[in-house]
Amino acid sequence: MTVVPVSAFVALGANLGDAAATVRQAITDLGTLPQTRLVRASRLYRSAPWEASGPDFFNAVAEVATLLDAHALLAALHGLEQAAGRERPYLNAPRTLDLDLLLYGDDHIATPSLTVPHPRMDQRAFVLRPLAEIAADKVSATTLAAVAAQDARPL
């Protein structure tokens, strides 16, 4: 029996240190995760912090093909965050790297540690615009229009 990889989408963001370089490196690092291949990634987008203060964020969205289950993929993403020096001192704190699992195939997951589709992705232009760039079928025109006033500009 052949095992088929799942297509998953990951949001990347950073606003501490050389944030743009960190996001670019994290995109590359996604392809080094076990049983995972980087399929494509959006351009970088720049946006003001969401519900917090601090430097602007650099964001992107990447698609991976993975044989990892959703929870194992999330754990691997947390490992990349940790390797980049991620700390979580308080909610919405500035960060060296933030990786969110947006979509995992067509799965709907609701556990204490993971909700997929990501529960707030439809509210954030810095997620929707790069996602639409690489997977237009995943974002409706209505959803994009709802965040049109938000700041998220491609570099």
Side-chain angles (χ1 to χ4, degrees):
M1 182 168 124
T2 303
V3 179
V4 178
V6 172
S7 175
F9 291 86
V10 177
L12 304 95
N15 74 333
L16 292 178
D18 188 346
T22 298
V23 171
R24 286 186 183 103
Q25 183 61 54
I27 290 168
T28 299
D29 292 345
L30 288 173
T32 69
L33 295 176
Q35 302 176 24
T36 302
R37 176 178 58 84
L38 177 65
V39 175
R40 58 189 160 179
S42 71
R43 295 174 285 178
L44 291 186
Y45 286 71
R46 189 174 188 149
S47 62
W50 181 262
E51 299 177 345
S53 61
D56 282 357
F57 270 89
F58 290 87
N59 300 95
V61 170
E63 179 184 6
V64 297
T66 187
L67 295 175
L68 298 175
D69 69 44
H71 286 89
L73 179 57
L74 181 64
L77 296 178
H78 286 166
L80 291 178
E81 287 178 344
Q82 223 172 9
R86 171 78 189 262
E87 295 180 3
R88 298 172 188 266
Y90 55 89
L91 186 64
N92 296 321
R95 53 204 72 152
T96 55
L97 183 62
D98 184 30
L99 302 174
D100 290 326
L101 183 55
L102 301 174
L103 300 166
Y104 184 84
D106 293 326
D107 288 5
H108 290 264
I109 302 166
T111 68
S113 61
L114 179 61
T115 302
V116 173
H118 189 284
R120 293 172 300 284
M121 66 184 264
D122 287 347
Q123 302 165 9
R124 298 174 173 173
F126 64 82
V127 171
L128 294 174
R129 289 185 187 140
L131 177 59
E133 179 184 322
I134 64 169
D137 62 315
K138 304 292 182 190
V139 182
S140 73
T142 303
T143 304
L144 272 176
V147 299
Q150 292 180 20
D151 175 38
R153 54 206 179 278
L155 296 185

